[in-house]
Structures are given as C-alpha cells and as structure tokens.
Amino acid sequence: MAKSTHRNQLAPGISRLSRSQVFSQRAAYKVAKQSAPAAATKAAPAATPYTPYVKDDLLVQLTATPQDKVAATRVPRAKAVHKAQRAPRLRASITPGTVLIMLAGRFRGKRVVCLKQLPSGLLLVTGPFRLNGVPLRRVNAAYVIATSTTVDLTGVTVDAKFTDEYFKRSPTAKLQGTEEEFFGAAAQPQEHPAHKIADQKQVDQAVGAAIAQVPSLAAYLASSFSLAKGQAPHKLKF
C-alpha cells in the first residue's frame, strides 16, 4: 500500500488515495535519478584445463579418481531413437459411408460423407459437392461429429490416388515484398487443376447414386446443422 499521512486514511491501514495519486503528490518523477557507478567486475578465475586419463602415465594412475578411470573406459554412443509415425486410432463410430458433421473450418455445420482414412490419420470426405458445396478434402477426426446415418458405399470404389500427396498445393510465386507488389501488381489467381475437377465429378456421380437410393437423404445432406435456443448438444442423438 502507498504511504500516506493519517489525514489521508479512511481507516487504519486503508488509504484514501491511490498509488498513482500518492506518486503524483510526491512529484518523485521530477527528481533526476542518480545511478551509482557500476562496480568493477572481477575477472573470472581461469578454468583448470581438463587432463584426460592416461593409462600409461604413472603419476595419473596414482592421482586419478575411480570416476576418471571408469569414464576413460566408456565409449560414447549415440542414443537410438525409434519413432514410427502411425495413424491415430479411428473411433468405432466412424466408418466408410458414415455421415459426419463438420465442426471447424469454412464448411463448419455441413454434413459430409466419410470415404476412408488416409495414412496420415486424416479423413477423406466429400459433400458431395453438387449437394452442399463441400469438395473432396481432408478432415481431422477430432473436429467432426459422427451421426447414426450411413450411406451404403458397396458399389463405390475410392481410387488409391487419393492420398495426402494428392492434396498438396503446387508452389506459386509470391509478390509480397517485391517490386511488382510496390507498383500495385496483384498475384494471379490460381486456377483449380482440371484433373481434380474431373475426379470430383467422378466421385460425386458414384456417391450421388448411392444417396439417391435412400429417400430424403439428399435433402438431409444439403441442410446445415445448427443448434436452436435451449438445445444441449450432449443430450442430442446424432
């Protein structure tokens, strides 16, 4: 608590003025600070050079400690690290054909169809695109809700080319910090590859045929998930 006189105290130990008010009245900020000259630092004593244990030296044998003798016989070895990157275990409620609700990203609230799990552990999902605008994309299983609705993908074949390498973006030239950006030049928009558009149409056709066999399933996938006032997510049955 800031120091104050008795007339500035509301009660013993309780000041009427704040710390900033007491500091302003003291005007201590007007007094130039005088720093004491720095004391001369003493030079650190020179470290004793390390003398390795020499077995043939009689003086070293007589004066060496047991720790020196043991350390001389040890051969340093690099620590072996065995780390294998494994895909995380998938929840039992998520299987190929399960309808998922996305909880994050630009498509949060959308319902998608799970196709398979990639080697990295991410899920390969699709809207399909012509129903709700969600293209083929990778999704983390931690950010989806698995519903009890499933799509029969018995006749649907997911191509083996859909891997993590398939979704990597091609490097593009950036204008940030260049002369072109200074004069107002904008980066050229990158067009979606034609082969990925063809792949999307092929998957939508196969998955759409399976969805059309179930009444009202297309309308269910086209709608977005949302909570109304008073609804508790933990009490809902998905």
Side-chain angles (χ1 to χ4, degrees):
M1 186 188 70
K3 295 183 179 180
S4 60
T5 58
H6 292 288
R7 61 186 179 85
N8 290 333
Q9 291 186 359
L10 298 176
I14 303 177
S15 175
R16 183 174 60 86
L17 304 177
S18 63
R19 296 181 61 183
S20 59
Q21 290 175 336
V22 174
F23 181 78
S24 179
Q25 288 187 358
R26 290 176 58 194
Y29 55 88
K30 296 181 180 180
V31 181
K33 294 184 178 181
Q34 297 179 357
S35 57
T41 57
K42 296 182 180 180
T48 305
Y50 172 73
T51 56
Y53 175 77
V54 182
K55 185 176 181 181
D56 298 334
D57 193 342
L58 180 60
L59 180 60
V60 174
Q61 290 184 5
L62 296 176
T63 58
T65 60
Q67 290 80 4
D68 295 337
K69 296 180 180 179
V70 172
T73 58
R74 290 179 179 174
V75 178
R77 292 186 303 172
K79 184 179 179 181
V81 179
H82 302 283
K83 289 185 178 179
Q85 186 177 3
R86 300 182 179 88
R89 183 179 300 175
L90 195 61
R91 301 199 299 266
S93 57
I94 301 178
T95 57
T98 303
V99 176
L100 309 175
I101 300 175
M102 302 183 66
L103 302 178
R106 57 179 297 196
F107 298 109
R108 58 183 177 273
K110 295 287 187 179
R111 295 180 171 92
V112 296
V113 180
C114 176
L115 298 180
K116 67 175 183 178
Q117 185 184 25
L118 299 175
S120 62
L122 300 177
L123 303 177
L124 177 64
V125 300
T126 183
F129 181 77
R130 63 187 184 90
L131 282 181
N132 51 22
V134 182
L136 282 166
R137 63 188 291 112
R138 296 176 297 175
V139 179
N140 193 332
Y143 298 103
V144 297
I145 296 177
T147 65
S148 57
T149 306
T150 58
V151 179
D152 188 9
L153 300 180
T154 304
V156 178
T157 303
V158 181
D159 202 332
K161 64 182 176 182
F162 295 120
T163 60
D164 294 291
E165 298 291 334
Y166 178 86
F167 293 95
K168 285 189 176 181
R169 296 181 180 179
S170 58
T172 56
K174 297 182 180 180
L175 297 180
Q176 185 176 3
T178 60
E179 184 178 357
E180 290 79 1
E181 183 193 18
F182 179 78
F183 287 103
Q188 295 295 333
Q190 186 178 5
E191 297 182 358
H192 199 61
H195 69 279
K196 290 189 176 181
I197 297 177
D199 294 340
Q200 182 69 59
K201 291 181 179 180
Q202 182 180 1
V203 173
D204 282 1
Q205 183 179 3
V207 177
I211 294 174
Q213 297 178 2
V214 182
S216 303
L217 184 56
Y220 174 73
L221 291 172
S223 62
S224 298
F225 171 77
S226 61
L227 291 174
K229 185 177 180 180
Q231 282 186 325
H234 63 281
K235 293 184 178 180
L236 298 179
K237 182 180 179 181
F238 297 97

